[in-house]
Amino acid sequence: MDPQVSIAVPFHDTARFLPAALDSLLAQDHPQWEALLWDDGSTDGSSAIAADYAARDPRFRLLGDGRNHGNPHALASSLAQARGEFIGVLDSDDLLEPEALSAMLGFMHARPMLGMAYSQYVEIDEAGHPRGPGTRFHIPYSPQRLLVDFMTHHFRLIRTDAYRAIGGYDANLDDAADYDLCLRLSETCAIGYLPRILYRYRIRRDSISHGSRLRQVRSSFEAAQRALQRRGMARDHALSLGLRARHVLRPKFIAKDQDAT
Amino acid sequence: MTATISVLVPVRGEAPFLAQALDSLRAQTHHEWQALLLPIACDEAPLHMQAATDARMHVLGGTHACAAGALRIAGEQLQGDFLCVLDGDDLLEPDAFAALLAAFREHPGTGMAYSRHVLVDAGNRILGAGPLCELPYSPEALLLDFMTGPLQLVHQDAYTQAGGFSASHPDAADYDLCLRLSEHVGITHVPRALYRRRVHAHSPAVTRWAEQIEARYNAFADAVKRRGLDAHYDCALEIDSWHVLDPLRPFGGVRGLA
């Protein structure tokens, strides 16, 4: 059975969360998918987990040279091998809802003019418990609004032709590769919004350091500036970056003896 | 005897604003100062030419990779009663030194005095009040907001007592010093804008904002440990960011002009 959708799952030391991510693929009610499991130089046993899934189900394809090149490189390289008519990305610590693929495919088949569609998502904590619905998708999409707000968050399904036509992920970016890709897609094709929760986005306490969070802010702004140039808007418009960084002192949590009553 | 102020002047790149900075120094109503120009990753020769015009100006030989390192070295050689940093891009108001010195006389126990400031562009147009400098100072409030900059006059004894400029947080050397000073000496605020900080495309606030935020946070976290607050508090850095898209406005940017 040829895959209709290719889902890139780059992973780097996410052994704690990878089984849940891959199980959420196995639980899809649409069977025609392939998962591009790209090992981005893991050292925590993630590689063995991925190999185990690949041995059990041929829809999991094991890719990567075992070295750490960074997420954008892993996305670009794995999606270059995609065989499906559509592509998507599942972060290795996140999960898809069981109807994610069928719902997005139905939505896009009914709208052949769309190059990409995106859905709603919920945020979950490290244990997988829901923290609440995401907020980005509340902002209405337009190619112009995308310059200031990244609302086309998870889950995205992209027509492979549209993806390849813009050259795909930029492997040279260090951060903000998703935002950069969406900006470029929004300049060449129509983007649709399916208001259904199809993705569980994990918020991790150890997610990223302050340095990488700040680099991400800078990279996102640079991606928007490049888009402004590409669109010929820089003659009449200026983009600026607003920033507020706050030092916070949080009282430490002191465990109290539980009242036995 | 009149107090002598050692003025450290970090100079970066082409130094297009240095002549104006030094003019604002020469225009001080308080004349007893010595200036030490610090070349930061730039050509020394123009600095020597500037220094040759005034016997009170000297150049710290050898170019330095970062301002923090140069400030530390310069701080070890100081001979004045007070220390002050004037960035080679910025300007002092004519009575800046006089007003800050008056604060030391009026408030015994002061180890450092600081003023408000305004932001100016390359053409010396005032862009607005400096952020944070109107917030009330206390040693605790300084942990959260850097309100004591960029113009500080530090007594030499206080500088030594606090350990001087350190190279541990190169992108936040001034904040780090103020935090340590606030743990040792009294700090007095002069509620007047005595300093003009220049904002331009090559200023560190523009080119190294991310490094500055991270360095300030690390200096804050160090201060929390030094003060023993880490027994009861966890440190965190909250970052909000947003993009703003504006139409370019001809005719000087006056809103409402057709």
Side-chain angles (χ1 to χ4, degrees):
Chain A
M1 195 158 51
D2 284 340
Q4 202 174 4
V5 191
S6 301
I7 301 293
V9 190
F11 59 93
H12 174 70
D13 290 350
T14 46
R16 279 172 69 199
F17 307 115
L18 189 58
L22 302 185
D23 287 342
S24 80
L25 272 167
L26 288 172
Q28 289 301 302
D29 58 14
H30 179 92
Q32 282 175 268
W33 51 263
E34 63 170 355
L36 309 168
L37 306 184
W38 184 281
D39 181 7
D40 196 30
S42 298
T43 56
D44 71 339
S46 305
S47 320
I49 294 171
D52 185 41
Y53 276 81
R56 286 186 350 225
D57 191 321
R59 291 177 296 178
F60 291 107
R61 293 169 63 193
L62 215 47
L63 305 171
D65 57 9
R67 285 162 48 206
N68 180 235
H69 299 279
N71 204 46
H73 178 274
L75 288 169
S77 308
S78 52
L79 288 170
Q81 303 191 38
R83 296 181 295 205
E85 185 191 346
F86 295 90
I87 58 135
V89 176
L90 169 62
D91 285 346
S92 63
D93 48 3
D94 296 343
L95 293 91
L96 289 172
E97 297 293 342
E99 68 281 15
L101 298 184
S102 59
M104 289 298 265
L105 283 168
F107 184 73
M108 289 199 72
H109 280 313
R111 293 163 185 79
M113 72 293 181
L114 292 183
M116 178 179 115
Y118 66 100
S119 76
Q120 300 182 340
Y121 61 96
V122 285
E123 294 183 351
I124 56 171
D125 63 16
E126 300 203 5
H129 301 128
R131 286 167 46 118
T135 52
R136 291 173 181 265
F137 49 77
H138 291 307
I139 299 167
Y141 166 78
S142 74
Q144 289 76 25
R145 189 69 190 264
L146 190 60
L147 288 168
V148 291
D149 288 300
F150 183 26
M151 76 292 285
T152 58
H153 205 52
H154 297 294
F155 173 60
R156 294 179 290 268
L157 197 69
I158 306 171
R159 223 174 274 281
T160 308
D161 290 346
Y163 173 80
R164 297 223 161 110
I166 59 158
Y169 275 102
D170 184 342
N172 299 314
L173 292 179
D174 47 355
D175 299 286
D178 286 323
Y179 182 43
D180 176 76
L181 180 81
C182 289
L183 282 165
R184 284 185 286 125
L185 278 168
S186 76
E187 291 155 22
T188 58
C189 62
I191 293 180
Y193 167 53
L194 174 58
R196 280 181 63 183
I197 294 172
L198 298 176
Y199 195 91
R200 298 189 199 185
Y201 179 66
R202 197 181 306 267
I203 307 291
R204 286 161 63 184
R205 265 174 297 167
D206 62 339
S207 274
I208 51 172
S209 67
H210 301 310
S212 38
R213 170 88 178 83
L214 288 163
R215 276 193 296 281
Q216 206 165 55
V217 169
R218 170 148 54 196
S219 302
S220 297
F221 183 60
E222 288 168 355
Q225 282 181 311
R226 286 194 301 273
L228 197 75
Q229 293 287 345
R230 277 196 308 271
R231 299 172 182 200
M233 292 174 68
R235 268 174 287 125
D236 306 315
H237 293 80
L239 258 182
S240 45
L241 175 64
L243 195 70
R244 190 164 42 222
R246 276 190 303 269
H247 296 176
V248 180
L249 284 173
R250 291 205 182 100
K252 280 189 196 283
F253 175 72
I254 313 279
K256 287 181 187 165
D257 290 336
Q258 292 292 314
D259 196 343
T261 53
Chain B
M1 209 174 96
T2 324
T4 311
I5 299 174
S6 299
V7 187
L8 306 182
V9 188
V11 181
R12 284 171 299 270
E14 303 281 307
F17 307 107
L18 181 61
Q20 292 180 47
L22 298 181
D23 283 346
S24 80
L25 196 51
R26 287 192 198 91
Q28 288 301 300
T29 56
H30 178 89
H31 302 288
E32 301 297 315
W33 52 262
Q34 297 278 335
L36 192 56
L37 310 188
L38 315 176
I40 314 299
C42 71
D43 183 13
E44 268 184 70
L47 275 60
H48 285 287
M49 283 167 61
Q50 290 282 355
T53 62
D54 194 316
R56 293 171 293 181
M57 295 185 188
H58 305 277
V59 178
L60 182 70
T63 191
H64 304 270
C66 71
L71 288 169
R72 172 147 195 91
I73 294 167
E76 286 164 359
Q77 311 177 358
L78 294 184
Q79 289 162 355
D81 306 300
F82 292 92
L83 163 83
C84 166
V85 175
L86 166 64
D87 192 281
D89 290 338
D90 299 344
L91 300 162
L92 291 166
E93 298 298 337
D95 61 340
F97 289 166
L100 290 169
L101 285 168
F104 276 87
R105 286 193 299 274
E106 288 159 22
H107 302 277
T110 296
M112 177 185 120
Y114 73 98
S115 76
R116 292 180 183 173
H117 65 286
V118 293
L119 303 178
V120 297
D121 68 8
N124 290 331
R125 278 185 298 254
I126 293 179
L127 302 170
L132 310 179
C133 67
E134 292 176 22
L135 292 175
Y137 164 79
S138 73
E140 292 74 30
L142 185 61
L143 286 171
L144 306 184
D145 291 297
F146 182 26
M147 76 289 284
T148 59
L151 177 62
Q152 305 120 10
L153 193 64
V154 184
H155 195 278
Q156 179 64 46
D157 294 343
Y159 180 79
T160 309
Q161 202 183 343
F165 281 112
S166 149
S168 359
H169 307 293
D171 283 293
D174 48 358
Y175 179 50
D176 178 49
L177 176 65
C178 285
L179 281 167
R180 283 182 281 112
L181 281 164
S182 75
E183 293 156 19
H184 291 279
V185 300
I187 292 183
T188 299
H189 178 43
V190 177
R192 284 183 52 206
L194 299 176
Y195 193 88
R196 296 178 180 227
R197 163 130 285 179
R198 192 165 331 253
V199 180
H200 60 93
H202 304 291
S203 60
V206 173
T207 58
R208 295 187 64 79
W209 59 263
E211 291 81 359
Q212 286 190 351
I213 288 173
E214 199 176 6
R216 278 186 194 172
Y217 173 75
N218 291 333
F220 151 72
D222 280 359
V224 167
K225 280 200 201 93
R226 271 198 311 274
R227 298 174 186 200
L229 291 167
D230 57 332
H232 303 289
Y233 294 94
D234 288 322
C235 295
L237 178 65
E238 286 181 358
I239 302 161
D240 293 327
S241 68
W242 58 96
H243 299 176
V244 183
L245 182 65
D246 271 323
L248 285 177
R249 292 182 175 69
F251 314 117
V254 179
R255 278 173 198 265
L257 270 187

